Amino acid sequence: MTALLLLPLVLPFALRPVARRALERLAPGTALWLLTGSAVVAACCSLAALGAFVLPGLLRVPLFAALGELVHPLRTSADGLVVPAAVLSAGALAVCAWSLVRWALRQSRAFRAARTEAGRGPVAGDLCVVDSPHPDAYALPGRPHRIVVTAGMLRSLDAAEREALFAHERAHNAGGHHHFLLAAELAARCHPALRPVRDTIRLAAERAADEAAATAVGDRRLLARAIARAALAGQSARSGRPDFVPGATTGPVPHRVKALLANPRPAHRTAACGLAALLVACVTLSAAASATEMIDVHHRVEVAQGEEAR
């Protein structure tokens, strides 16, 4: 066990500023893939690092040492820190597991409720209208995918704005954005530093849907107006949709409207490639550190079992 194990726990803090810059420089769809992948790898590496801290501490306990068939004491590079590090890491893993289970149960209930509510309303193709005065609209995954819109939201928009809003939600379903949001939510509960990255991933999903809808509608100003009016109408309403279900009024709407009204400019290739390389380097370093230490722990366990390295 060395200080190398601290890298997977520290590097996620560096992802927040890089993620923001990546979304500014990269195409939204590209940023969505890259940021989500980086967050997932960083979360997995942090969990692996915590596990590598816990295992040597467990093998100091006679019961687990007997189960591991250790015939020699397990030697590490920092014997005095093994037990405290194992206790702290075990506590962090327990908190993470508890948070994940609570969130999964809550989201499962919310998703079932949303599907049930969508099944009660009138359906026209992929569009489902919910009889509610509270303005809301979102893309609901499942079989089949649905675009859920409330009667309150329909009354808040004119015909052209409704079609623009529907195009945005269809872009979410076509892009499978709920998968990215689900992965980001899970990663954020594995490491607190990934929560701001999760918010950036949400914005990337909305920006990707905005751009796809703008292409489908053919009028960026119309889409910007529809999103702005939908956000104003629904700002006081509380939505019961799950966290991983994307909606047109999610995220910093003024930022999205500004991006739609601005003329799209090609990203600077050098800057974009540099940011992408920096993200990849961060997660690669984290993965290499956790893998190296896991291999080292495995080797030390083999030595303690009497299987001396040849």
Side-chain angles (χ1 to χ4, degrees):
M1 180 180 65
T2 69
L4 196 61
L5 270 180
L6 295 176
L7 275 177
L9 302 177
V10 173
L11 281 176
F13 290 96
L15 290 182
R16 178 181 181 180
V18 179
R20 288 180 175 178
R21 296 291 293 173
L23 182 55
E24 294 173 1
R25 296 288 184 176
L26 299 174
T30 303
L32 180 60
W33 276 96
L34 187 58
L35 294 179
T36 306
S38 299
V40 169
V41 173
C44 291
C45 290
S46 66
L47 293 179
L50 291 175
F53 276 121
V54 170
L55 183 58
L58 282 179
L59 293 178
R60 293 296 180 93
V61 179
L63 174 62
F64 290 100
L67 291 175
E69 299 179 349
L70 302 189
V71 296
H72 303 296
L74 181 66
R75 300 297 182 185
T76 65
S77 57
D79 284 345
L81 298 177
V82 168
V83 174
V87 171
L88 290 175
S89 298
L93 287 173
V95 170
C96 176
W98 175 246
S99 175
L100 282 171
V101 170
R102 287 186 61 193
W103 180 83
L105 292 174
R106 185 170 64 250
Q107 295 305 305
S108 177
R109 289 193 295 266
F111 180 71
R112 288 197 301 268
R115 290 294 301 184
T116 300
E117 185 179 39
R120 292 173 182 158
V123 177
D126 61 348
L127 181 64
C128 176
V129 179
V130 175
D131 186 17
S132 171
H134 303 294
D136 196 13
Y138 52 91
L140 184 63
R143 295 185 179 180
H145 290 331
R146 295 292 188 196
I147 297 171
V148 179
V149 60
T150 64
M153 181 63 79
L154 293 178
R155 288 193 293 267
S156 301
L157 307 176
D158 61 32
E161 291 167 348
R162 292 173 196 162
E163 291 303 320
L165 187 69
F166 298 158
H168 174 93
E169 303 303 348
R170 289 191 177 98
H172 277 311
N173 280 334
H177 292 167
H178 58 283
H179 296 300
F180 297 93
L181 299 183
L182 179 60
E185 290 287 348
L186 293 174
R189 279 161 176 77
C190 293
H191 198 298
L194 295 176
R195 292 171 188 169
V197 180
R198 171 197 60 192
D199 297 336
T200 305
I201 291 172
R202 287 176 177 173
L203 178 56
E206 294 304 323
R207 288 282 296 113
D210 288 342
E211 293 300 324
T215 300
V217 173
D219 189 340
R220 298 178 70 87
R221 298 186 71 86
L222 171 61
L223 180 62
R225 187 173 73 246
I227 290 173
R229 291 191 62 183
L232 287 173
Q235 64 181 350
S236 61
R238 295 185 62 184
S239 175
R241 63 175 181 261
D243 294 342
F244 60 89
V245 170
T249 59
T250 303
V253 173
H255 177 87
R256 293 169 51 203
V257 169
K258 182 179 179 181
L260 282 170
L261 294 178
N263 292 324
R265 293 179 297 176
H268 194 281
R269 185 178 296 273
T270 303
C273 291
L275 283 167
L278 184 57
L279 275 172
V280 172
C282 285
V283 297
T284 301
L285 182 59
S286 180
S290 57
T292 299
E293 285 303 312
M294 290 296 289
I295 292 172
D296 180 65
V297 170
H298 181 263
H299 171 71
R300 292 177 186 277
V301 170
E302 287 186 331
V303 171
Q305 289 173 333
E307 300 175 8
E308 294 288 347
R310 297 178 183 178

